Amino acid sequence: MLNRDDNELLTQVGLGTPMGDLLRQYWMPAALSEELPKCDLPPLRVKLLGEKLLAFRDSTGQVGLVSEVCPHRGASLFFGRNEESGLRCVYHGWKFDVGGHCIDMPNEAPDCPLRKKVKLRAYPCSERNGVIWAYLGPREKPPALYDLEWNQQPDNIPFMWRNYRACNWVQAMEGDIDSSHINFLHRTLNFDDLSTVPGVPIPGYAATGVRMLQEAGIPRLEVQDTEAGVLHTAARNLGACGDYYSLE
Ligand code: FES
């Protein structure tokens, strides 16, 4: 059992915290591409590592991830207009591009030096295979985006979703690693109505998947060190066909 201080150290991830600094060294998924389907649509609220951010797709299709708070007088840019390659604050009209640069300041003279100084906090994004990744770290040039098996597949990956978990990242990670709970907690007695399965995102979750996990109740857990970190798998014997099914 962790004491209170260790627990705080591990779970607090805001700017300037030790664990926040560590996690900011890595790219992280921020949103699904389908949540920003077209250019110049209203921004999407995204909360990452305790930061209130907005994602938006500008007129050229580029994705921006910026602070929700306007650097002028603190109005929420969530209510701003995403127009002509920038997000315009509704309060005084300052407009910011995906890099956080102020590109219009209608309440100041055109040569106002302030425009070059003002910067909205903005993070680099990269979009691949239906997922928008963000790098919140300090490096001017972010590291290369990970080449994971699933993010190099064709664009038609059938099973991708984003959900809200009311817990800290450690609790979520522990739950994911603890694969053997799936057979019990996420079981169903009625395959015709998967909405009764706790924690299963509906739609998009095939009945065969739930049945398979339920019937293969004893996962074989394996852990491997890799260059990118630790690879954890829970393999289940599918019996009749003699194959193993792995969750990673
Ligand atoms: S508060 Fe955003 S432009 Fe003034």
Side-chain angles (χ1 to χ4, degrees), residues 16-200:
T17 60
M19 193 51 77
D21 289 348
L22 177 66
L23 293 176
R24 279 172 176 75
Q25 301 297 324
Y26 301 92
W27 284 95
M28 60 185 60
L32 299 178
S33 298
E34 67 186 32
E35 294 176 288
L36 298 175
K38 290 191 192 146
C39 303
D40 295 336
L41 290 178
L44 173 76
R45 272 194 167 117
V46 175
K47 193 170 180 189
L48 285 180
L49 301 179
E51 294 187 51
K52 289 186 178 174
L53 305 168
L54 297 176
F56 67 102
R57 192 182 295 280
D58 75 5
S59 310
T60 67
Q62 262 191 295
V63 174
L65 185 70
V66 296
S67 167
E68 182 179 339
V69 182
C70 178
H72 181 212
R73 292 201 54 211
S76 168
L77 288 166
F78 178 68
F79 303 104
R81 289 202 306 262
N82 180 14
E83 57 182 21
E84 295 170 341
S85 290
L87 192 56
R88 187 183 292 282
C89 179
V90 290
Y91 203 173
H92 307 85
W94 291 14
K95 181 173 167 184
F96 302 92
D97 67 10
V98 293
H101 308 102
C102 185
I103 54 176
D104 194 19
M105 215 174 238
N107 64 339
E108 295 288 347
D111 57 351
C112 171
L114 193 59
R115 190 199 287 195
K116 288 209 175 85
K117 287 192 193 151
V118 168
K119 182 96 196 293
L120 175 66
R121 191 147 40 87
Y123 296 116
C125 292
S126 185
E127 195 168 9
R128 193 190 288 177
N129 256 128
V131 175
I132 295 165
W133 296 78
Y135 174 72
L136 276 61
R139 281 176 266 188
E140 213 161 281
K141 186 165 178 260
L145 184 62
Y146 324 113
D147 289 332
L148 303 170
E149 187 180 351
W150 63 264
N151 73 11
Q152 297 177 82
Q153 304 296 316
D155 279 342
N156 58 350
I157 291 179
F159 188 34
M160 183 96 71
W161 86 101
R162 179 165 84 100
N163 66 353
Y164 173 72
R165 292 177 169 183
C167 62
N168 65 53
W169 74 277
V170 180
Q171 290 165 319
M173 183 74 81
E174 281 180 345
D176 289 344
I177 290 173
D178 171 16
S179 176
S180 68
H181 80 273
I182 294 173
N183 305 81
F184 203 86
L185 177 66
H186 300 287
R187 69 172 43 229
T188 181
L189 300 175
N190 179 5
F191 284 100
D192 294 328
D193 181 11
L194 291 184
S195 64
T196 61
V197 185
V200 172

